[in-house]
């Protein structure tokens, strides 16, 4: 039986148009999912939309629509983004689905039975934009004289009856868990942040609201709807069939990885594990918080008008170069800046030049001078062994790097091999060998094709379409593209289709 791997993105609020920040989380999760599938795992990859709460209700009213109509429309846009980014999610969840009401209410009842929910009253600050409660001590006053949360979101004072989750009771267990499992929260700096936050103590959490209706009704008390984050976090269980223990997909629980943005780490690394402990369910194995993107140095915002629809970028540059850029440009845990010039540079230098040219030069040379088939391998030189060793070790080197979500380092490691391939072709000069030593020329070409096969196979998770085309040209049959097949070289004499460029240079229109 294959080992399982369950990976999730956050579910996206349907209050506005998706931007590259949303595409980023989806793409990173997709790379993980594809990598694990190619590594022989049985993968469940979940994404979806978060459709309740005041923020979404307000966006619907502003749009002159009912919340259901509005969420149907915007949810479909997120689904389209996933498809256009070539995201291979196995399921798409919407929190307005009946199965999700059932799961959220079951979790609630489970917590009630375990004695971890009590009725009280909430009196304090709430930020609709963040859908989060804040303590008075966290607030500041902005230039417009508004009281704001540390995120800059305006807050309002609310007084309402509320159910509470006895989260304070789980602080010590949570701290112990984080300390005993260093890989539970990544990157390490964020883990320390969470521990620092927990050292300050943990208060009980208000988990229901009475001032609006757009949410999952609290079982047995229709005056309340669940706090949107409680219902949202439950989505990770809903999608597997919770509360039905016998549901076949429940075998994927606990999740192997929740990928989230840094702004929502606390919900996933504090609230979610506390809820799961309270409900007697196993905790996810890892929560990783990635950084945020700015656009040409500025925060993305509707008022600045710099929000970019990732579909437009995919139309202009292709989904694969966009995927590559987002994971290559910056380290995953850090913030990054998108600029069109930086994207074009990565595309032209690393994709068109380093990789595209190496493939094009090698394949067209084989087509012209080696009969368009996989050439004969020959006796190995020192230079050949360096390349061969690099290729044979590449998967095992990048696999733990991918497990740490260090995508840019994984790509850099693959690029070291690509650059070595370019140096090798220049040093070995098959165009000279053609005249003086055709046997050696064949061996050199075979080594280059082996290298290209290995790097294209390992790059499939990052650029699935382009690498499928590259592997077609390299004559690698579809059944030989899993990582287990990396060690199986292409037989000599295999016919190769006529080569065609995979990464054209991008030239800005004058
Ligand atoms: N609905 C909640 C998540 C609930 S998960 C149980 C939510 N939604 S969101 O739509 O606001 O954000 C979804 C994801 O997009 C988050 O991981 C967030 O960090 C990410 N990003 C939003 N803006 C971003 C950037 N500018 N850059 C990178 N990621 C960004 O939070």
């Amino acid at each position: 039986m294959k080992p399982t791997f369950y990976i999730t993105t956050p579910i996206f609020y349907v209050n506005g148009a998706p931007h590259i920040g949303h595409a980023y989380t989806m793409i990173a999760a997709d790379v993980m999912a594809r990598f694990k599938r190619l590594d022989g795992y049985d993968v469940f990859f979940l994404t979806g939309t978060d459709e309740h709460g005041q923020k979404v209700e307000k966006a619907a009213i502003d749009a002159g629509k009912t919340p259901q109509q509005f969420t149907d429309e915007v949810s479909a846009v997120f689904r389209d983004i996933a498809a256009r980014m070539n995201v291979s999610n196995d399921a798409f969840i919407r929190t307005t689905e009946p199965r999700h009401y059932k799961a959220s209410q079951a979790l609630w009842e489970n917590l009630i039975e375990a004695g971890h929910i009590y009725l009280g009253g909430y009196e304090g600050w709430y930020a609709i934009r963040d859908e989060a409660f804040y303590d008075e001590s966290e607030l500041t006053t902005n230039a417009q004289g508004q009281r704001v949360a540390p995120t800059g979101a305006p807050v309002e004072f609310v007084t309402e009856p509320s159910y509470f989750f006895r989260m304070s009771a789980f602080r010590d267990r949570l701290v112990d868990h984080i300390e005993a499992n260093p890989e539970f929260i990544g990157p390490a700096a964020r883990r320390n942040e969470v521990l620092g936050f927990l050292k300050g103590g943990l208060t009980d959490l208000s988990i229901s609201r009475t001032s609006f209706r757009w949410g999952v009704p609290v079982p047995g008390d229709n005056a309340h709807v669940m706090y949107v984050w409680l219902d949202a976090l439950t989505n990770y269980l809903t999608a597997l069939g919770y509360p039905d223990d016998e549901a076949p997909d429940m075998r994927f629980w606990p999740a192997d990885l929740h990928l989230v943005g840094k702004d929502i780490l606390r919900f996933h690394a504090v609230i979610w594990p506390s809820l799961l402990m309270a409900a007697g369910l196993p905790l996810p194995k890892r929560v990783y918080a990635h950084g945020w993107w700015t656009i040409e140095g500025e925060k993305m915002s509707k008022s600045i008008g710099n929000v970019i629809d990732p579909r437009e970028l995919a139309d202009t540059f292709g989904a694969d170069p966009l995927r590559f850029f987002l994971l290559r440009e910056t380290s995953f845990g850090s913030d990054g800046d998108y600029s069109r010039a930086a994207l074009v540079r990565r595309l032209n230098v690393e994709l068109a030049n380093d990789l595209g040219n190496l493939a094009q030069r090698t394949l067209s040379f084989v087509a012209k001078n080696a009969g368009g088939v996989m050439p004969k391998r020959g006796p190995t030189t020192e230079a050949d062994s360096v390349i061969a060793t690099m290729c044979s070790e590449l998967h095992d080197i990048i696999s733990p790097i991918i497990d740490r979500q260090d995508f840019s380092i994984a790509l850099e490691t693959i690029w070291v091999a690509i650059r070595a391939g370019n140096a090798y072709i220049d040093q070995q000069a098959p165009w000279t060998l053609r005249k003086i030593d055709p046997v050696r020329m064949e061996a050199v070409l075979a080594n280059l094709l082996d290298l290209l096969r290995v790097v294209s196979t390992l790059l499939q998770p990052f650029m699935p379409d382009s690498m499928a085309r590259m592997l077609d040209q390299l004559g690698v049959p579809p059944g030989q593209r899993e990582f287990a097949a990396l060690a199986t070289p292409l037989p000599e004499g295999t016919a190769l289709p006529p080569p065609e460029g995979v990464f054209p240079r991008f030239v800005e229109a004058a």
Side-chain angles (χ1 to χ4, degrees), residues 10-13 19 21-22 50 229 236 261 263 290 292-293 300:
I11 47 172
F12 302 92
Y13 284 131
H19 54 62
H22 304 123
D50 188 354
W229 267 100
Y236 302 131
D263 54 319
H290 65 69
W292 267 42
W293 285 90
M300 270 182 248

Side-chain angles (χ1 to χ4, degrees), residues 9-15 19-26 48-52 55 78 95 129-131 228-236 259-265 267-268 290-295 299-300 335-336:
T9 71
I11 47 172
F12 302 92
Y13 284 131
V14 289
N15 62 310
H19 54 62
I20 64 167
H22 304 123
Y24 186 47
T25 321
M26 284 186 186
T49 42
D50 188 354
E51 307 188 7
H52 291 126
K55 174 153 94 168
F78 277 94
T95 55
R129 200 174 88 191
D130 299 343
E131 295 285 15
V228 63
W229 267 100
L230 181 69
D231 120 45
L233 288 162
T234 308
N235 92 85
Y236 302 131
L259 273 191
V260 300
K262 62 180 184 180
D263 54 319
I264 56 171
L265 175 63
F267 296 94
H268 286 82
H290 65 69
W292 267 42
W293 285 90
T294 49
I295 303 277
K299 208 176 150 192
M300 270 182 248
D335 292 343

